[in-house]
Amino acid sequence: MSLRALLVDDEILARERLKAFAALEPDLELVGECADGASAAASIEALAPDLVFLDIQLPELDGFQVIEAVGLDRMPPVLFVTAYDRHALKAFEVHAVDYLLKPFDRPRFQASLARARTWIQGAADAGRLAGLMESVQASRPPQDRILVRAGDRHLLLKVEEIQWIEAEDNYVRLHVEGTSHLVRGTMGGILQKLDPERFKRVHRSSIVNLDFVKELRPWFHGDYQVLLADGTRLTMPRAYRDQITRLK
């Protein structure tokens, strides 16, 4: 079985080592290489590889953010490439997700590749990756950038520029000055990635960036209107009032 693989690592020497080992595997084809998270997410969507060698520590977006940007349901099987220490890698072992710890040799590369072939031939269990992502997100600091699609391009959006967020079917719409972007996900999922001191849920279908809230106005039946700096008006049911009491 021939595997099409994408190589993602910002270190030239690490990419060269992976390419050298891959060249010795007759059934492994490298279809591309990336040195940053944004181009990695775009390449995964464009090339649809069977396997991704994914560095965790990347510029712009780290390896976990690449997975979030692509989506767990669309992410190919992953072999993580990392310089993390053994303690930090405990989550990988708990969820049976394989990794190559730098510096690695060819036998370790071959062992990980054999495991990846087993995953793919048996229809890789996405639950392992989902469990890992849940564990990792619980201990990660809030994101400062989010990858969004703009036509046929991918843009890195600074989280601080997001004015408010609304639910839209299986997506969330991120509103920034003069435009908006759709990102696949849920309101609860996006909220977990954001700074809880800055972003507050004011409705089951809306989240606001407190930096852009201009005024709270009493409304009917104990509800409030949230007036944003650009004139946007959102309704905040009284059940959510405690979320932004510091603005009263």
Side-chain angles (χ1 to χ4, degrees):
M1 176 184 177
S2 180
L3 295 182
R4 300 171 63 256
L6 178 69
L7 193 164
V8 182
D9 200 306
D10 64 324
E11 298 178 11
I12 294 177
L13 291 179
R15 293 203 305 273
E16 292 301 321
R17 175 180 288 262
L18 279 167
K19 286 192 289 186
F21 290 159
L24 299 174
E25 302 295 326
D27 60 346
L28 182 63
E29 175 192 2
L30 290 182
V31 295
E33 59 181 280
C34 304
D36 63 79
S39 61
S43 295
I44 290 168
E45 293 185 358
L47 299 173
D50 302 313
L51 177 68
V52 181
F53 292 95
L54 181 61
D55 190 10
I56 296 175
Q57 296 167 305
L58 294 167
E60 299 181 343
L61 297 176
D62 65 26
F64 299 121
Q65 290 171 315
V66 169
I67 295 171
E68 291 169 350
V70 174
L72 279 169
D73 58 334
R74 301 187 303 282
M75 188 69 192
V78 175
L79 283 178
F80 289 95
V81 183
T82 179
Y84 275 28
D85 61 29
R86 293 291 303 178
H87 176 72
L89 290 168
K90 183 63 177 178
F92 288 75
E93 294 163 359
V94 167
H95 296 285
V97 176
D98 207 9
Y99 58 89
L100 290 167
L101 185 62
K102 299 176 182 178
F104 52 86
D105 55 19
R106 191 185 176 207
R108 180 70 180 94
F109 173 86
Q110 290 178 306
S112 291
L113 186 59
R115 191 172 186 182
R117 290 190 182 104
T118 300
W119 293 344
I120 294 168
Q121 291 170 355
D125 178 13
R128 285 196 311 268
L129 191 55
L132 172 66
M133 293 297 291
E134 185 175 343
S135 295
V136 167
Q137 285 178 347
S139 60
R140 295 175 72 200
Q143 290 185 203
D144 59 358
R145 296 188 180 191
I146 292 179
L147 189 70
V148 298
R149 184 188 291 274
D152 58 354
R153 298 179 300 144
H154 287 77
L155 305 176
L156 276 172
L157 179 66
K158 291 182 179 179
V159 168
E160 64 188 28
E161 297 176 350
I162 300 171
Q163 298 173 329
W164 67 287
I165 303 168
E166 67 177 321
E168 195 165 313
D169 296 326
N170 295 322
Y171 294 81
V172 293
R173 184 173 293 278
L174 312 179
H175 292 268
V176 298
E177 186 175 0
T179 188
S180 66
H181 303 278
L182 272 179
V183 176
R184 189 177 180 88
T186 64
M187 296 293 277
I190 192 74
L191 198 57
Q192 288 180 352
K193 304 173 188 177
L194 304 175
D195 182 354
E197 295 300 315
R198 171 177 282 172
F199 289 89
K200 299 292 184 180
R201 194 164 187 171
V202 297
H203 190 280
R204 63 184 179 84
S205 61
S206 55
I207 296 168
V208 297
N209 182 342
L210 296 184
D211 292 341
F212 292 94
V213 175
K214 179 180 179 181
E215 185 180 353
L216 290 181
R217 293 180 179 175
W219 203 236
F220 300 106
H221 309 298
D223 294 351
Y224 277 80
Q225 272 200 335
V226 182
L227 179 62
L228 303 186
D230 66 352
T232 298
R233 296 171 185 265
L234 303 172
T235 299
M236 181 177 67
R238 58 183 172 181
Y240 289 87
R241 284 185 300 178
D242 291 344
Q243 293 293 313
I244 52 177
T245 52
R246 74 177 177 89
L247 291 181
K248 293 182 181 180

